[in-house]
Amino acid sequence: MEIAQNQKEGPVLLLLTSVQCLHTREPPAPAPLTRTAPQERWLDVKLNHFDASNTATFRMRYYYNDQFTRQNSNIVIFVGGEWEISPGWAQTGLAYELASRTGSGLFYTEHRYYGSTRPTADTQLTNLRFLNVDQALGDLAQFIQYIKSDRYEGGKFKNASVGLVGCSYAGSMATWMRLAYPHLVNAVFSDSGPLHAQEDFPEYLEVITEALRSQGSEACLASVAEAVQRMVELLATDDGAAQISTMFNTCAPIRANATLDITTFFWYGITETFAYLVQYATPGDIARACDVITNNAVVDPVQRLANWINNEPWTQPCIEPRYDEVLVKHMNYSYDAPDTTMRLWTYQTCVEYGWYQSTTSLRQPFLSTVPLEYFHQMCKDFFSADINESLLRAGIHRTNLFYGGFNIPDYVVSVAGGIDPWSPMGPNTTHSRPLAPVYFVPEISHCRAIRPSNDSETEILRDAKLSVLRHMEYYITGGDSTQSAAHSVMITPLITVYMIALCFML
């Protein structure tokens, strides 16, 4: 049953808290391209799609923009990920352009457990058993079936083709929908979607390292490495720990040699600050950060690093170094708790994906400050001793077995950014096929290709977006002579981007 509610307007929410990590924010939407206000609506969906005897349901929220609809319209769905959805992405972006080109109703769906889509009373462990990608894809399948039925607006979408658009984990979901429900999904565009689940993900910091080198400088990277080395030495003594606490404005004094606290400081305060810098970088961001980190007017490299860290929005109002405090915040079972989103996403990583951004690689400047074991401990402490390494590894094996890792289904178009730290877990040009093209765009970070085509940092990115639109339009609307011609010219941008990518990597 669908329930319509009044439109809620307001700014796009950036889910920044004192302890955010792993990726738990809605991609910031550009300015709306239309004043047409999307309608906030709700649909009752099954709690358990894999047990016919379980008739429990919950309300799933979505936004609907009917600006381009007509009789026998198509459907474009912007897939929500591990965040609370807001109206912006139903008013702008590449999904909006695709809806315009294909005469589609534009929908934006909210992932179960996130935002206002709450299947259970709270988020205690027993209530999280229905939080997994299988059930989330089941929600999308039921949603598509409903939108294509006679019950929705008199059957306007009954004969519709369906295109999905998603970025990051939502891009993974969109790809996997095409694999799991090919009879419901005609075409997919995935921007920056990781496909290969992996327990330890040291490549994340390796990409950050290369981004600091290429868009900053070798001196910037050397200064960070020197600062971290000195910080590790200082944190071994009481006086040194007090000095670091003052320099980096921690919420409480760091205790010397307190392993979990020191790792928490480096994770939330240092490596995650660099993660947000690079993962969401726009032109000039990394260079400006490196200007502060290499400022010769400040002699001490630790102080230079602190000067930059302390002015970043995600370290405000202070850096929390106390692991016990982090634990308390993430064991709050209320959906309205400040760190609920992080709790929920951490659970998914603990049982399905891993993707832990450790410092186990030697090709990064943060030494061994954030070991893989820290994340193992987090899974057990946030949830239960049963959420352990054995369960994690079994879940990762299952994810890759069920969804095929880097094997991309037909009619899926993917984009990867050259400085996106998530790119090692997603497809690249070696996985590209004529019916599943992959565009690699140098110098671009995470989720930049879902933005409007005229909002592109480089000409290469704009060309890739236009090629994505042509692919998707052809896959959704079918082949008349005009669309076939459009389809035939799409290969050239792919080859161009691929060759430029090779030059970039060399």
Side-chain angles (χ1 to χ4, degrees):
M1 182 178 76
E2 179 192 16
I3 305 168
Q5 292 197 349
N6 293 332
Q7 171 70 33
K8 297 178 182 178
E9 296 183 354
V12 173
L13 297 177
L14 301 185
L15 305 175
L16 299 178
T17 73
S18 59
V19 281
Q20 282 277 302
C21 71
L22 296 171
H23 180 77
T24 54
R25 59 181 271 193
E26 180 184 43
L33 296 175
T34 175
R35 295 188 179 184
T36 301
Q39 304 164 43
E40 183 185 58
R41 296 186 176 184
W42 301 79
L43 176 67
D44 287 345
V45 297
K46 286 177 61 67
L47 178 64
N48 187 349
H49 294 282
F50 308 103
D51 180 359
S53 66
N54 187 337
T55 59
T57 63
F58 65 93
R59 297 199 314 157
M60 171 184 171
R61 182 168 66 148
Y62 67 96
Y63 286 104
Y64 170 44
N65 185 341
D66 64 354
Q67 181 179 355
F68 307 113
T69 61
R70 54 181 184 263
Q71 196 60 33
N72 297 319
S73 287
N74 293 306
I75 296 169
V76 170
I77 301 173
F78 189 82
V79 180
E82 72 284 20
W83 56 72
E84 179 178 7
I85 65 172
S86 59
W89 286 109
Q91 298 174 281
T92 187
L94 218 66
Y96 176 86
E97 292 183 41
L98 180 61
S100 173
R101 293 173 69 140
T102 57
S104 297
L106 177 59
F107 299 86
Y108 184 11
T109 56
E110 190 164 69
H111 193 296
R112 58 169 55 201
Y113 287 84
Y114 294 97
S116 298
T117 301
R118 302 175 176 183
T120 55
D122 57 35
T123 68
Q124 61 182 308
L125 180 59
T126 56
N127 284 334
L128 296 182
R129 64 189 184 279
F130 300 112
L131 175 55
N132 56 63
V133 71
D134 303 337
Q135 298 287 1
L137 297 184
D139 295 341
L140 283 172
Q142 184 178 342
F143 179 79
I144 292 169
Q145 286 183 313
Y146 170 66
I147 299 300
K148 294 187 69 173
S149 73
D150 289 329
R151 293 176 294 146
Y152 194 85
E153 298 199 347
K156 178 190 293 186
F157 299 103
K158 188 171 184 178
N159 299 311
S161 292
V162 178
L164 304 186
V165 176
C167 89
S168 196
Y169 163 60
S172 313
M173 288 175 59
T175 299
W176 295 338
M177 272 297 293
R178 173 65 192 158
L179 182 69
Y181 299 93
H183 57 294
L184 297 179
V185 177
N186 298 87
V188 166
F189 166 44
S190 172
D191 180 12
S192 307
L195 296 179
H196 176 69
Q198 183 172 296
E199 179 179 1
D200 191 11
F201 184 15
E203 297 93 339
Y204 187 95
L205 291 179
E206 292 177 351
V207 175
I208 286 175
T209 300
E210 291 307 309
L212 290 174
R213 178 181 284 118
S214 64
Q215 297 202 2
S217 65
E218 195 69 50
C220 180
L221 199 56
S223 184
V224 172
E226 185 179 0
V228 172
Q229 177 66 57
R230 180 60 180 148
M231 290 162 68
V232 170
E233 295 167 358
L234 287 169
L235 287 166
T237 68
D238 291 337
D239 289 345
Q243 184 180 344
I244 293 297
S245 299
T246 300
M247 293 174 73
F248 286 88
N249 187 33
T250 61
C251 302
I254 306 173
R255 296 175 298 150
N257 294 311
T259 303
L260 280 175
D261 289 1
I262 291 173
T263 301
T264 299
F265 164 72
F266 274 107
W267 168 239
Y268 290 120
I270 308 301
T271 62
E272 275 299 285
T273 308
F274 279 101
Y276 275 108
L277 168 68
V278 176
Q279 182 164 314
Y280 300 105
T282 58
D285 287 350
I286 295 173
R288 283 188 290 272
C290 283
D291 286 343
V292 178
I293 293 169
T294 59
N295 181 6
N296 290 330
V298 180
V299 175
D300 183 2
V302 178
Q303 186 61 61
R304 292 198 298 264
L305 180 60
N307 290 345
W308 174 66
I309 293 282
N310 292 340
N311 283 303
E312 292 305 291
W314 34 83
T315 60
Q316 307 307 313
C318 55
I319 297 172
E320 179 57 76
R322 295 167 294 183
Y323 181 76
D324 286 347
E325 286 297 310
V326 172
L327 183 59
V328 167
K329 291 178 180 179
H330 290 85
M331 291 187 68
N332 187 331
Y333 303 147
S334 170
Y335 276 106
D336 296 317
D339 295 296
T340 292
T341 300
M342 171 60 182
R343 172 177 168 80
L344 294 169
W345 179 239
T346 300
Y347 174 79
Q348 287 195 258
T349 67
C350 291
V351 299
E352 294 187 286
Y353 308 118
W355 290 332
Y356 296 125
Q357 299 149 20
S358 77
T359 54
T360 55
S361 170
L362 298 177
R363 296 190 293 273
Q364 47 82 26
F366 305 106
L367 300 179
S368 56
T369 53
V370 187
L372 176 62
E373 291 75 19
Y374 179 72
F375 302 102
H376 293 158
Q377 190 69 45
M378 188 182 292
C379 289
K380 285 178 276 197
D381 290 343
F382 278 21
F383 304 107
S384 161
D386 294 331
I387 311 298
N388 56 29
E389 295 91 314
S390 295
L391 180 65
L392 167 65
R393 289 160 191 162
I396 289 171
H397 175 76
R398 181 187 185 279
T399 298
N400 289 329
L401 177 64
F402 274 37
Y403 296 109
F406 294 116
N407 295 303
I408 311 170
D410 288 347
Y411 309 115
V412 173
V413 188
S414 306
V415 169
I419 63 165
D420 178 7
W422 284 96
S423 60
M425 294 297 101
N428 57 49
T429 50
T430 66
H431 306 110
S432 185
R433 296 181 290 105
L435 289 179
V438 179
Y439 290 80
F440 179 88
V441 186
E443 302 178 8
I444 298 303
S445 192
H446 197 65
C447 288
R448 302 304 294 175
I450 57 166
R451 300 174 71 81
S453 56
N454 63 358
D455 179 9
S456 302
E457 295 93 306
T458 67
E459 186 175 347
I460 300 171
L461 177 59
R462 183 176 181 275
D463 288 345
K465 290 178 182 179
L466 294 177
S467 293
V468 168
L469 286 172
R470 287 193 290 266
H471 273 290
M472 291 292 289
E473 182 178 6
Y474 180 77
Y475 294 157
I476 290 173
T477 61
D480 60 29
S481 58
T482 303
Q483 290 155 344
S484 295
H487 184 249
S488 68
V489 302
M490 288 185 291
I491 303 303
T492 301
L494 176 60
I495 295 173
T496 302
V497 173
Y498 175 62
M499 292 305 294
I500 294 173
L502 285 178
C503 294
F504 177 81
M505 289 186 285
L506 292 172

